Amino acid sequence: MSIEQFEKIAGRLDGYRDLVVKLQTDLTAIPAISPKSGGKGERRKTAYVRTFLESLGIEDLESRDAPDPEADGGVRPNLIARIPGRDPSRTLWIMSHVDVVPPGDESKWSSPPWEARLDGDRIYGRGVEDNQQGMVASMILAKAFTEEGITPHWNIALLFVADEEVGSTFGIQYLVKEGNPFSPDDLVVVPDGGEPDGSMIEVAEKAILWTRFRVIGKMTHGSTPERGINASRAAAHLITFLDGLYEDFPEKQDVFDPPISTFEPTKREPNVENVNTVPGEDVFFMDARILPSTSLDEVKAKMRSYCDRIAERFKVEVEMDHPMQEEAAPPTDPESPVVHALAPAIEHVYGVKARPMGIGGGTVAAYIRRSGIPAVVWARMDETLHGFDEYVLIPNIIGDAKVFAFVALKPW
Ligand SMILES: [Zn+2]
């Protein structure tokens, strides 16, 4: 019975190619940039989505706007659209975000970033993939169910959040704090990341630890090193010492790719202008991505012990601080209902065996997981987000909507 219903919905979705192009074009023309990144917020773009859903006859629309005096209208809009199912004990949530990142240097785009450009199956423009792919998939999913007049098995809730790109304070964090809309039995999917073939269901993230190392010696002329202390040499030794972290924390977890904690020296600040000056200070950074089971405090203590050894050996001072640290959210169980519902749907629609995986972090799903709700990040996408010439594939939008329909109809 419900497999026939799925076929009807899938047929509808296949007919929405022109609609997908129109929705993408309209949404792209409304830049929704966070005030923190110099924009006005999402009010107009979310209003467009609301008007579209109202035109379908969807009655259960709930606005959960977060106050933000810097934004257009003084709010950051969050919108929930609900389609009731036959079995109301469980809700399939599709959460997409309305905000986009700025386009950067527009001259580096092949066509204007706020004008969607169609080229075969591709649509180019800022935001078309991140996260209008998820938004448009949600919108056409709603249209297919309402036009076909089919009641899904589970409730469907389409959630359009604000403020994903700069911390989610006014988006999912606000929602979770001010009356968490999710129940532990719900199936929560965040279509905001994935693999080009759709094979990755992201269930876990590593902790993020950024560290700034400041090595202080004594500046002198290049010809008289004995009168100073070369901070650059001490820093170089410290960087190689820090490679020891890979041996100190060798644990492996196969759900992650790569399966280990990583400790990479990254940015290095400029020190002296002249070739003939011995630097008195050297500042470099490390980006560490740490498995959830490893203690950040132990990692920091090990880092400190390497700094102390360098300080003693080279008679320098070494300061250490952390411009960013984020504990890993509790992972979603790879055996959780949302994984078990999504995997067969992906296989049915795309013919791909998807598997639960962990990544280096961090996605917006972490905020949901921390609230005790198992959530996954999944979409079929090339991940062209945030770059120039961002694009989305129309078949992925329609295919992802079919996957969601399959889950909601529960035809197994
Ligand atoms: Zn995104």
Side-chain angles (χ1 to χ4, degrees), residues 35-48:
K36 271 191 208 139
S37 303
K40 290 189 189 152
E42 305 84 355
R43 197 183 61 84
R44 278 185 60 218
K45 195 163 166 180
T46 304
Y48 177 94

Side-chain angles (χ1 to χ4, degrees), residues 149-286:
I150 286 177
T151 302
H153 181 85
W154 308 119
N155 299 325
I156 299 175
L158 309 172
L159 170 57
F160 302 87
V161 294
D163 196 31
E164 191 273 341
E165 298 291 0
V166 281
S168 291
T169 315
F170 302 100
I172 190 59
Q173 289 208 67
Y174 174 84
L175 288 181
V176 165
K177 227 187 297 166
E178 306 287 325
N180 196 337
F182 309 112
S183 299
D185 283 341
D186 287 350
L187 312 170
V188 183
V189 182
V190 180
D192 194 24
E195 290 283 312
D197 64 355
S199 62
M200 180 179 75
I201 302 174
E202 192 262 297
V203 292
E205 288 161 24
K206 295 175 188 174
I208 304 174
L209 181 65
W210 287 0
T211 309
R212 173 177 173 271
F213 297 92
R214 180 166 173 243
V215 181
I216 305 154
K218 192 174 169 222
M219 190 164 81
T220 184
H221 194 271
S223 64
T224 59
E226 75 285 0
R227 291 190 199 163
I229 300 170
N230 192 326
S232 197
R233 174 182 291 112
H237 279 263
L238 178 55
I239 289 172
T240 59
F241 271 33
L242 288 167
D243 268 347
L245 293 166
Y246 277 102
E247 282 154 40
D248 299 330
F249 300 98
E251 203 201 336
K252 268 182 139 178
Q253 263 180 272
D254 282 331
V255 76
F256 284 97
D257 182 23
I260 53 168
S261 298
T262 58
F263 306 93
E264 289 298 304
T266 53
K267 177 172 148 176
R268 200 154 185 188
E269 284 186 356
N271 47 24
V272 289
E273 296 276 322
N274 312 308
V275 178
N276 58 1
T277 304
V278 169
E281 185 173 312
D282 192 290
V283 176
F284 70 94
F285 293 76
M286 171 167 276

